[in-house]
Amino acid sequence: MTQSANDSQENPKSHPTSNAEKDPGDWTTGNEPMTGAQASYLKTLCEEAKEQFDDTLNKADASRRIDELQKKTGRGSQ
């Protein structure tokens, strides 16, 4: 039996050395200020969740906060 092309390809997120999804605490730029895109999305999520927006978060903390608020609001879930 032969493998199809899809069967032989690995999911990049499941590969142990993949950078596709890294913990924000491991980001080399995690201590930099959050990006404009993060700030914009975070503001939207905060409004929907009726929570305070913190404009002092760094990239890593903003990413974690986005994850929390996505769970609370149901955004980002598939």
Side-chain angles (χ1 to χ4, degrees):
M1 185 183 326
T2 62
Q3 280 187 318
S4 70
N6 289 339
D7 290 340
S8 65
Q9 294 177 347
E10 289 186 48
N11 179 349
K13 288 186 177 183
S14 67
H15 195 276
T17 59
S18 173
N19 286 343
E21 197 167 314
K22 208 182 231 188
D23 182 271
D26 295 333
W27 295 354
T28 57
T29 61
N31 288 328
E32 294 178 4
M34 75 175 116
T35 66
Q38 283 180 308
S40 177
Y41 187 45
L42 192 50
K43 284 179 192 175
T44 299
L45 289 171
C46 285
E47 288 172 8
E48 287 183 11
K50 296 179 178 35
E51 299 221 2
Q52 192 72 26
F53 172 71
D54 182 356
D55 65 350
T56 66
L57 296 177
N58 63 31
K59 285 182 183 179
D61 291 336
S63 178
R64 289 184 194 101
R65 185 72 173 134
I66 287 168
D67 288 344
E68 291 170 11
L69 292 174
Q70 282 180 324
K71 289 176 187 167
K72 184 173 183 176
T73 63
R75 277 188 174 245
S77 60
Q78 296 179 2

